[in-house]
Amino acid sequence: MLRTVSVLVLVLTAVGFGITPVFDAPVALEASGVPINVGGGGNASPYIVDWDGDGKQDLVLGQYSGGRIRFYRNVGEHFAPEFANFVYLQADGVDISVSSG
């Protein structure tokens, strides 16, 4: 039987600190109003960084299937990000692919 697994990207926000941190409920990250789903396989490895140098934190996200790397531009504000649809990162016009294993 074939089983399809989806990986949604969730954010946990710390709301209290001490010996044991306290978190709000997880929230799905969205791009263009739709929850980000990188497909099956897991290991999405999200990274928040100002990739394009515009002063706003973007989302760079691994995609286990195919080993490609997604870039979601922050079209919102630095402290209120809104991510656009992704493009794959490329080198010399070819999608960057990182092997697994």
Side-chain angles (χ1 to χ4, degrees), residues 1-67:
M1 181 170 122
L2 182 62
R3 183 175 162 217
T4 302
V5 178
S6 294
V7 177
L8 292 175
V9 179
L10 303 175
V11 173
L12 293 172
T13 304
V15 294
F17 296 94
I19 295 173
T20 304
V22 177
F23 295 95
D24 271 343
V27 175
L29 283 182
E30 295 183 349
S32 298
V34 177
I36 296 172
N37 185 335
V38 294
N43 301 318
S45 303
Y47 189 69
I48 301 294
V49 61
D50 180 10
W51 188 262
D52 56 8
D54 65 358
K56 298 183 280 187
Q57 299 294 306
D58 305 303
L59 174 64
V60 177
L61 181 63
Q63 177 180 308
Y64 186 80
S65 175

Side-chain angles (χ1 to χ4, degrees), residues 90-96:
Q90 296 187 334
D92 294 328
V94 177
D95 291 349
I96 296 171

